[in-house]
């Protein structure tokens, strides 16, 4: 099967750089899949779970904040956070989720939207982390 | 002439100081390696980001609030220094650069507010009453979320028209021996020089539209800029400390040498004095 080169780059260095069969990622206008020889494409990526298949093996990554570019049979993800499902500290993510939910619930009462956006994105990150870790562990 | 014991104590003290400075030099050089690796790791991200910005520019920039240039009545300076001292004039240079800029803008009748990043900048401008926000003790961890906090606030200030222009003041890491205080405009975002002539053969599919993508990308671009500045300061701080500590160690060596001479002189004088006493005593017994 024809392969496509996948690169995931974060500010603290490249996370993935390998040839894969298919990549599926959370685009801002819906999930999208990329196969070999995809047309040049540029899209933003939202917080969520990215997964790719290589030799019948599925791998899951949590990604947050960035964009994806496809050109010359290479798909590059530039994201601020990228973590493999098996590296994720689940208890910590759960704690973060609870914390964020609590803050959001309290804010609803006061209707104060000062850091609402920040808290919401923290919640999204926590949930994406949990989802990536879960899907990764189910597979094993 | 100082007493023998005093000189000896001084020599011991100085040599202890030189041990400390030597150790600090080594610690700084180890940390510098880490900082340089981080810069190295960040480079591909920054380069690819700039590439994507370029593809999006041209038409898509119109109407982006973060790119809106307006008459400048108030300026916000984000001054980035290290958290710790003992690194020569590294921080002092940045601070004096910031002071000059403040004076210049105020002469032009613009209002200046400050955001200080790092303990040193915060302390330096504490009394000026211009600080709007300060971030301290964040230079030790080079994490994107720290940069994001700073960038998000800067964007807020700009969009709410509290500041018409936001600038970064920091020391650029040019080489081990040169860290240059620099000033960079963060907001409004100036579009990277357009190179449309350079053939754009690949037609991209954009999803959503280029303008929407750009809208999402611009805040990230700010993060990149701030993070980059923080990395530069991180590496520069360690390089400056290495040089400063190296100089200090050399100076300690010089002082020890001088003190040793003094010590030997004092010892000689003491011996001579003792001999004189003995000879004088023997002379007296004879007589």
């Amino acid at each position: 099967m024809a392969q496509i080169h996948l690169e995931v780059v974060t500010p603290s260095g490249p996370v993935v750089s390998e040839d894969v069969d298919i990549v599926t990622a959370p685009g801002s206008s819906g999930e999208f899949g990329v196969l070999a020889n995809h047309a040049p494409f540029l899209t933003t990526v939202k917080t969520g779970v990215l997964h790719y298949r290589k030799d019948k093996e599925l791998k899951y990554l949590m990604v947050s904040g960035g964009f994806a570019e496809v050109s010359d049979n290479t798909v590059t993800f530039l994201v601020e956070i990228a973590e493999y499902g098996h590296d994720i500290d689940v208890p910590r993510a759960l704690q973060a989720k609870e914390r964020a939910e609590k803050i959001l619930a309290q804010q609803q009462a006061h209707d104060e939207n000062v850091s609402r956006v920040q808290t919401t994105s923290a919640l999204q990150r926590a949930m994406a982390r949990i989802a990536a870790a879960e899907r990764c562990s189910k597979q094993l | 002439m100082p007493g023998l014991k005093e000189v000896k104590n001084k020599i011991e003290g100085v040599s202890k100081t030189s041990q400390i400075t030597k150790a600090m030099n080594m610690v700084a050089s180890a940390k510098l390696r880490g900082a340089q690796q981080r810069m190295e790791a960040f480079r591909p991200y920054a380069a690819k980001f700039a590439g994507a910005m370029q593809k999006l520019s041209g038409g898509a920039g119109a109407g982006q609030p973060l790119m809106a240039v307006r008459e400048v009545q108030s300026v916000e300076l984000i001054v980035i220094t290290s958290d710790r001292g003992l690194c020569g004039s590294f921080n002092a240079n940045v601070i004096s650069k910031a002071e000059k800029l403040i004076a210049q803008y105020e002469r032009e009748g613009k209002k200046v507010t400050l955001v200080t990043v790092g303990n040193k900048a915060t302390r330096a401008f504490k009394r000026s009453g211009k600080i709007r926000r300060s971030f301290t003790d964040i230079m030790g961890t080079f994490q994107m979320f720290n940069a994001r906090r700073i960038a998000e606030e800067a964007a807020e200030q700009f969009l709410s028209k509290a500041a018409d222009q936001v600038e970064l003041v920091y020391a650029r890491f040019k080489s081990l021996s040169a860290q240059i205080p620099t000033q960079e405009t963060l907001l409004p975002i100036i579009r990277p020089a357009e190179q449309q002539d350079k053939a754009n053969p690949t037609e991209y599919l954009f999803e959503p539209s280029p303008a929407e993508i750009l809208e999402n990308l611009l805040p990230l671009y700010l993060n990149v800029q701030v993070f980059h500045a923080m990395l530069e300061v991180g590496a520069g701080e360690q390089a400056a400390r290495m040089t400063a500590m190296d100089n200090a160690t050399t100076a300690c060596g010089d002082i020890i040498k001088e003190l040793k001479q003094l010590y030997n002189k004092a010892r000689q004088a003491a011996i001579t004095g003792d001999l004189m006493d003995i000879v004088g005593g023997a002379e007296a017994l004879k007589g």
Side-chain angles (χ1 to χ4, degrees):
Chain A
M1 192 176 169
Q3 289 192 316
I4 186 162
H5 189 68
L6 168 70
E7 288 218 19
V8 179
V9 186
T10 68
S12 38
V15 177
V16 188
S17 175
E18 53 187 326
D19 291 324
V20 301
D21 296 324
I22 181 172
V23 186
T24 313
S28 52
S29 23
E31 277 224 326
F32 65 96
V34 184
L35 287 161
N37 301 317
H38 194 287
F41 178 57
L42 198 84
T43 187
T44 42
V45 176
K46 58 180 187 184
T47 307
V49 183
L50 174 153
H51 56 96
Y52 64 90
R53 204 178 67 208
K54 186 192 181 185
D55 307 328
K56 288 183 183 156
E57 198 188 341
L58 269 166
K59 289 209 172 138
Y60 296 94
L61 278 160
M62 174 268 182
V63 291
S64 177
F67 61 96
E69 188 192 342
V70 187
S71 67
D72 301 328
N73 206 27
T74 300
V75 52
T76 311
F77 285 87
L78 283 177
V79 287
E80 293 198 338
I81 310 171
E83 287 165 10
Y84 268 113
H86 51 78
D87 289 337
I88 286 167
D89 183 350
V90 181
R92 196 175 149 197
L94 281 168
Q95 267 176 18
K97 184 180 165 231
E98 267 170 38
R99 207 181 318 127
E101 276 170 347
K102 215 166 155 189
I103 294 170
L104 284 176
Q106 279 172 354
Q107 276 182 348
Q108 224 131 35
H110 302 250
D111 191 36
E112 228 183 283
N113 54 358
V114 191
S115 65
R116 207 181 166 79
V117 183
Q118 279 183 2
T119 320
T120 314
S121 51
L123 179 61
Q124 278 169 352
R125 280 198 297 274
M127 281 163 71
R129 280 201 177 98
I130 294 164
E134 262 178 10
R135 289 173 76 174
C136 179
S137 63
K138 247 179 218 163
Q139 203 196 354
L140 293 174
Chain B
M1 185 152 295
L4 266 181
K5 197 149 188 258
E6 272 165 58
V7 182
K8 205 170 184 183
N9 278 344
K10 221 171 199 172
I11 291 174
E12 251 167 52
V14 176
S15 75
K16 269 178 191 153
T17 308
S18 97
Q19 271 170 12
I20 293 168
T21 55
K22 213 185 262 168
M24 280 184 76
N25 174 310
M26 284 192 288
V27 170
S29 73
K31 282 192 176 168
L32 176 68
R33 217 167 304 136
Q36 277 178 319
Q37 269 164 9
R38 270 192 294 271
M39 280 174 82
E40 208 60 52
F42 178 63
R43 208 160 283 152
Y45 183 85
K48 288 193 170 131
F49 206 102
M53 286 285 285
Q54 201 121 70
K55 273 171 203 125
L56 283 165
S57 63
Q64 293 290 349
L66 287 175
M67 285 178 144
V69 181
R70 52 178 183 251
E71 200 194 330
V72 180
Q73 282 171 336
S74 54
V75 183
E76 181 150 291
L77 296 180
I78 302 180
V79 186
I80 309 178
T81 61
S82 67
D83 275 334
R84 297 187 184 184
L86 286 178
C87 45
S89 56
F90 179 72
N91 290 321
N93 287 344
V94 176
I95 289 162
S96 77
K97 169 108 188 164
E99 275 167 352
K100 263 182 221 151
L101 280 171
I102 293 169
Q104 184 197 324
Y105 285 133
E106 284 186 337
R107 234 178 293 124
E108 289 167 12
K110 294 166 183 164
K111 205 176 134 257
V112 181
T113 50
L114 289 175
V115 173
T116 54
V117 182
N119 289 342
K120 288 289 158 185
T122 308
R123 217 166 299 156
F125 290 107
K126 208 170 202 168
R127 285 206 191 83
S128 70
K130 291 185 174 61
I131 296 183
R132 188 183 61 75
R133 184 87 158 86
S134 50
F135 297 90
T136 50
D137 292 319
I138 67 168
M139 295 305 291
T141 52
F142 295 92
Q143 297 285 341
M144 195 67 182
F145 63 80
N146 285 329
R148 190 160 50 213
R149 260 162 57 201
I150 299 165
E152 269 170 5
E153 268 199 28
E156 241 168 63
Q157 287 290 307
F158 183 74
L159 292 176
S160 69
K161 306 211 159 127
D164 300 314
Q165 193 172 323
V166 181
E167 286 182 356
L168 287 173
V169 185
Y170 67 99
R172 203 159 49 79
F173 178 77
K174 193 183 167 208
S175 71
L176 276 181
S177 51
Q179 295 86 36
I180 299 157
T182 345
Q183 155 206 21
E184 250 174 42
T185 305
L186 184 67
L187 283 161
I189 295 171
I190 295 151
R191 193 184 309 172
E194 280 185 43
Q195 297 177 309
Q196 282 176 333
D197 298 15
K198 260 197 174 174
N200 203 358
T202 41
E203 274 294 313
Y204 274 83
L205 296 171
F206 292 103
E207 188 186 297
S209 68
E212 272 173 274
I213 297 183
L214 194 59
E215 200 180 319
N216 284 314
L217 239 55
L218 288 178
L220 296 179
Y221 182 66
L222 295 182
N223 296 351
V224 169
Q225 296 259 299
V226 176
F227 192 57
H228 176 242
M230 283 171 73
L231 286 179
E232 295 262 344
V233 172
E237 176 197 354
Q238 301 305 340
R241 181 165 302 130
M242 253 178 81
T243 323
M245 287 303 121
D246 194 40
N247 290 343
T249 312
T250 318
C252 279
D254 290 348
I255 293 172
I256 288 175
K257 212 169 144 196
E258 264 170 44
L259 284 175
K260 272 202 175 138
Q261 254 164 22
L262 197 63
Y263 175 76
N264 286 339
K265 254 186 216 158
R267 195 170 54 97
Q268 283 291 343
I271 291 169
T272 315
D274 285 353
L275 273 176
M276 294 278 275
D277 275 353
I278 294 166
V279 174
E283 243 4 89
L285 281 179
K286 236 191 250 168

